[in-house]
Amino acid sequence: MAQEQKAAKIFGGWNRRYKHTSDVLGCDMTFTVFFPPAATESKPAPVLYFLSGLTCTDENVTTKSGIQRKAAEEGIAIIAPDTSPRGLKIEGDSESWDFGEGAGFYLNATQPKWKQYRMLDYIVKELPSVLKQFKQLDLSKASITGHSMGGHGALTIGLKHPDMYQSISAFSPISNPMNVPWGQKAFSGYLGDDKETWKQYDATELVRKYEGPPRNIIITVGTKDDFLDNQLKPDVFAMAAAGTNVSVDLKLQEGYDHSYFFISSFIDDHVAHAARALKSS
Amino acid sequence: MAQEQKAAKIFGGWNRRYKHTSDVLGCDMTFTVFFPPAATESKPAPVLYFLSGLTCTDENVTTKSGIQRKAAEEGIAIIAPDTSPRGLKIEGDSESWDFGEGAGFYLNATQPKWKQYRMLDYIVKELPSVLKQFKQLDLSKASITGHSMGGHGALTIGLKHPDMYQSISAFSPISNPMNVPWGQKAFSGYLGDDKETWKQYDATELVRKYEGPPRNIIITVGTKDDFLDNQLKPDVFAMAAAGTNVSVDLKLQEGYDHSYFFISSFIDDHVAHAARALKSS
C-alpha cells in the first residue's frame, strides 16, 4: 500500500503525493496522483501518465505545468512517477545529471551493476498494480505522455504496449536515443554494447516495426529548444513512422525552448489528445 | 538599466528575468516581467504587480501559478519583484525564514540596523522608474496583488497609493499584522516599538482611514489554510472596511490551503479583476 505524504486541493480536485516500497526497484519510491473532481468509486476516472525528464521528480510537472486545470475539466487523473530508483547508493549513481539517479531512461538495465534500474517494469507492471488501491481510478483506460527523457519513455512504452495505453504524445522527446549523446551514454551504461538490445528502447527503431492498432502521436517541440538537433531528433522519428500504422503530428512551436514555460503553454493540447482517446475507448 | 538574465517564451508572450543595482536598497535586485504577446511600443500593456510571500523570490509566482496564461489572454504584463534586499550581510538576516532576507514585509524600516530594508520605496518608486526602460509597458495603468506577506504588501501599498494602482486584490493576505505573530516580529524588528508607526503598515488600520476613490478588493483564502486564524485574519480587515469607500469581496474557498496549488486555482479571478479596472481606466 502506498502511503500518502501530502495533499493539496487544486482546481477542485486533489493533488496527492505517495510513497511506497518498490519490490521491482528495491527502494522506496514516490509518485503523485492528481484526482480530478469528477473521479469517484462509482465513476472512476481514466488516467494519463506523465513521464518526466532528466533530473526531475514527480513534482516538476505537478508544480510547474498547470496540467491539473485541463485534467480537472476533462475528468482525467494524472499519474506522475519519479524518473529513477532513489537511494540505492550504487557507485556513480549521483555523479552525472544525465545518468543514474534522476535518469533511469524508462528501461530495464541488463548490466549487473545497474540491475535494479528497471523503470520499464516499474511503470508498466508495478506502478499500475500499486495504483489499484485507488478505486476512483479506471486503470483500464490509460494514456501516456512525457517530456524529454520522459518523452522517450512515453513513445517507447506506448509503442511497446499498445494494449495498455490508448494514446501517446510527447513534449520534446529524445526520439532516436541510439544516435545521440544522452542516449548513447545511458544505453551503454545500463544495457552494455549490444545494439540489438538498444533497439528495444529506441522509439525510431520501434515505430518502424510497429504492428499495433492505429495511433496518432502528437509531438510538440520548441524551435528554440537547445537540444532539438543534437539530442531530440523528433523529425527522424516522424520520418520513420511513414508507412506504418502510426501517424505523427509534429508540432514545431516557434520560439519556445525546453522548459516548463514551454510545456505549460501546450499542456492543454496533450490532455485533450488523451481525453479524446480515453473517452472514445 | 536592468540587464536581462534569462528569457523564455510562454503562452505566446515572454517571461524575462532581470537584474539591476538598487540605489534604494544598496544591493543588486532581481525581478521578472511577463510581457503578453499584445504588448508593443505603439500599444503598451497595462501592468499587474504580484508581491510574493515569505521565503519567495520572483520565481515562485512565475513558475508555479500559471498567471501568464490569463495575462496573455487579457493583454496584461506581470511584474514580479523579489521579497527583500539580498546579500547585505546584516547580522541575523538569514537566521529566520520570517524575518530578514525573503521577508522584507514591503515597508521602510526605521531601525538603524535594518535601514536598507526599504521595500516600500523600492516597489512604489525605484522599480517603476527602472521599468521605464520597457516601452512596451504602460506604467500609468497598474494594479497590485500578492500572496500572504505579499497580500499584506498589496493591500497596504494599494490603499496608501490609490493614485498609482487602479485595483487591488490579495491571496491569503496577512491582513492585520499588528495583531499576529508574523507581523509583530517583523514590525518590532524593522520599526521598533512605536505602534503609531506600525499602523502605517497595517491594512486593517489603513482601510479604516481610507479616503481615496472607491475600491472593490477581492481577497481569496482557503478554508484549510493553516495560517488563516492566527496569522491572516482577512475577516478582521473586511469588517474594518465596512462604511468606507472600500468594499471587500472575501472569497473563502472550501478545502484549499496556503500553497501555489491554491493560487493557481484562482489566479484567473485576480487577473480578470485587474483587467476590468485597467481596461476601464
Side-chain angles (χ1 to χ4, degrees):
Chain A
M1 288 284 286
Q3 303 296 324
E4 187 176 301
Q5 303 294 298
K6 56 183 181 178
K9 195 171 180 182
I10 176 169
F11 290 106
W14 285 88
N15 202 80
R16 297 184 187 276
R17 193 170 199 217
Y18 298 92
K19 188 182 240 182
H20 71 111
T21 300
S22 167
D23 296 329
V24 165
L25 306 175
C27 62
D28 283 351
M29 290 292 284
T30 302
F31 63 87
T32 292
V33 180
F34 168 68
F35 296 94
T40 61
E41 293 196 14
S42 58
K43 200 171 177 186
V47 303
L48 171 59
Y49 291 86
F50 186 102
L51 305 186
S52 291
L54 289 166
T55 77
C56 290
T57 70
D58 56 305
E59 290 200 297
N60 298 68
V61 66
T62 52
T63 63
K64 293 184 171 184
S65 75
I67 194 171
Q68 297 94 339
R69 196 182 67 84
K70 186 71 171 174
E73 189 183 306
E74 296 281 5
I76 290 176
I78 304 298
I79 313 291
D82 203 348
T83 52
S84 76
R86 300 275 176 185
L88 294 177
K89 300 193 194 302
I90 299 170
E91 185 210 343
D93 67 5
S94 303
E95 284 170 13
S96 306
W97 61 272
D98 56 0
F99 188 79
E101 286 206 357
F105 270 85
Y106 305 102
L107 50 74
N108 291 336
T110 58
Q111 297 306 289
K113 182 178 174 184
W114 300 99
K115 65 177 191 285
Q116 285 174 274
Y117 273 62
R118 301 181 64 80
M119 286 300 289
L120 174 61
D121 278 357
Y122 177 73
I123 298 293
V124 303
K125 293 179 182 167
E126 189 173 34
L127 183 57
S129 165
V130 170
L131 292 170
K132 283 183 184 160
Q133 78 183 71
F134 307 116
K135 304 301 180 198
Q136 61 280 54
L137 303 182
D138 179 357
L139 298 165
S140 73
K141 295 183 178 172
S143 289
I144 193 162
T145 187
H147 173 234
S148 196
M149 177 184 74
H152 144 76
L155 295 178
T156 54
I157 291 175
L159 290 170
K160 285 156 85 90
H161 299 279
D163 51 318
M164 288 185 64
Y165 306 96
Q166 272 103 69
S167 78
I168 306 169
S169 74
F171 289 91
S172 330
I174 305 172
S175 307
N176 186 199
M178 291 181 69
N179 291 317
V180 303
W182 277 340
Q184 288 162 347
K185 179 174 179 178
F187 286 5
S188 59
Y190 296 130
L191 303 173
D193 295 331
D194 178 16
K195 296 285 166 70
E196 288 305 310
T197 310
W198 291 22
K199 288 182 182 175
Q200 297 171 31
Y201 300 106
D202 186 292
T204 297
E205 293 293 330
L206 289 171
V207 78
R208 285 203 185 96
K209 297 176 213 149
Y210 180 78
E211 292 180 342
R215 285 284 179 271
N216 173 247
I217 299 179
I218 292 180
I219 295 180
T220 307
V221 189
T223 61
K224 297 293 185 192
D225 188 319
D226 287 339
F227 306 113
L228 181 54
D229 293 330
N230 62 337
Q231 300 278 16
L232 307 181
K233 299 190 181 294
D235 50 321
V236 173
F237 175 79
M239 292 287 285
T244 74
N245 248 353
V246 173
S247 64
V248 177
D249 186 359
L250 180 57
K251 296 171 184 287
L252 291 167
Q253 301 292 356
E254 180 64 32
Y256 288 86
D257 65 16
H258 198 69
S259 71
Y260 271 88
F261 293 117
F262 155 68
I263 295 174
S264 70
S265 302
F266 300 101
I267 194 75
D268 285 9
D269 295 347
H270 290 246
V271 175
H273 176 70
R276 281 191 295 274
L278 294 169
K279 289 177 178 175
S280 68
S281 67
Chain B
M1 287 285 284
Q3 302 297 323
E4 187 176 298
Q5 304 295 297
K6 55 183 181 178
K9 195 171 181 184
I10 175 170
F11 290 107
W14 285 87
N15 202 79
R16 297 184 187 276
R17 195 170 198 215
Y18 297 92
K19 188 182 241 184
H20 71 112
T21 300
S22 166
D23 296 330
V24 165
L25 306 174
C27 61
D28 283 351
M29 290 293 283
T30 302
F31 63 87
T32 291
V33 180
F34 168 69
F35 296 94
T40 60
E41 293 196 14
S42 58
K43 200 171 176 186
V47 302
L48 170 60
Y49 290 86
F50 187 103
L51 306 185
S52 291
L54 290 165
T55 77
C56 289
T57 70
D58 56 306
E59 291 200 297
N60 297 68
V61 66
T62 52
T63 62
K64 293 184 171 184
S65 75
I67 194 171
Q68 296 94 340
R69 196 181 65 86
K70 186 70 171 173
E73 189 184 307
E74 295 281 6
I76 291 177
I78 304 298
I79 313 292
D82 203 348
T83 52
S84 75
R86 301 275 176 183
L88 295 176
K89 299 192 194 304
I90 299 169
E91 184 210 344
D93 67 5
S94 303
E95 285 171 13
S96 308
W97 61 271
D98 56 0
F99 188 79
E101 285 206 356
F105 269 85
Y106 305 101
L107 50 73
N108 291 336
T110 59
Q111 297 306 290
K113 182 177 173 185
W114 300 100
K115 65 176 190 283
Q116 285 174 274
Y117 272 63
R118 300 181 64 81
M119 285 300 289
L120 174 60
D121 278 357
Y122 177 74
I123 298 292
V124 303
K125 293 178 182 166
E126 190 173 33
L127 182 58
S129 165
V130 170
L131 293 170
K132 283 183 185 161
Q133 76 183 71
F134 306 116
K135 304 301 180 199
Q136 61 280 56
L137 303 182
D138 178 358
L139 298 164
S140 73
K141 295 184 178 173
S143 289
I144 193 163
T145 187
H147 174 234
S148 196
M149 177 184 74
H152 145 76
L155 294 178
T156 55
I157 291 175
L159 290 170
K160 286 155 86 90
H161 298 280
D163 51 318
M164 288 186 64
Y165 306 96
Q166 272 103 70
S167 78
I168 306 169
S169 73
F171 288 92
S172 329
I174 304 172
S175 308
N176 186 200
M178 291 181 68
N179 291 317
V180 303
W182 277 340
Q184 289 163 346
K185 179 175 180 178
F187 286 7
S188 60
Y190 296 129
L191 304 172
D193 295 332
D194 178 16
K195 296 285 165 72
E196 288 307 308
T197 310
W198 290 23
K199 287 181 183 175
Q200 297 172 32
Y201 300 106
D202 185 291
T204 296
E205 292 293 330
L206 290 170
V207 78
R208 284 203 186 96
K209 296 176 212 150
Y210 180 79
E211 292 180 341
R215 284 286 179 268
N216 172 248
I217 298 179
I218 291 180
I219 295 180
T220 307
V221 189
T223 62
K224 297 294 184 191
D225 188 319
D226 286 340
F227 306 113
L228 181 55
D229 293 331
N230 63 338
Q231 301 278 17
L232 306 182
K233 298 189 182 294
D235 50 320
V236 172
F237 175 79
M239 293 287 285
T244 73
N245 248 353
V246 172
S247 65
V248 178
D249 186 358
L250 180 56
K251 297 171 183 287
L252 291 167
Q253 301 293 356
E254 180 64 33
Y256 287 87
D257 64 16
H258 198 70
S259 70
Y260 271 88
F261 293 118
F262 155 68
I263 295 173
S264 69
S265 303
F266 301 101
I267 195 76
D268 285 8
D269 295 348
H270 291 246
V271 175
H273 177 70
R276 281 190 296 274
L278 294 169
K279 288 177 179 177
S280 67
S281 67

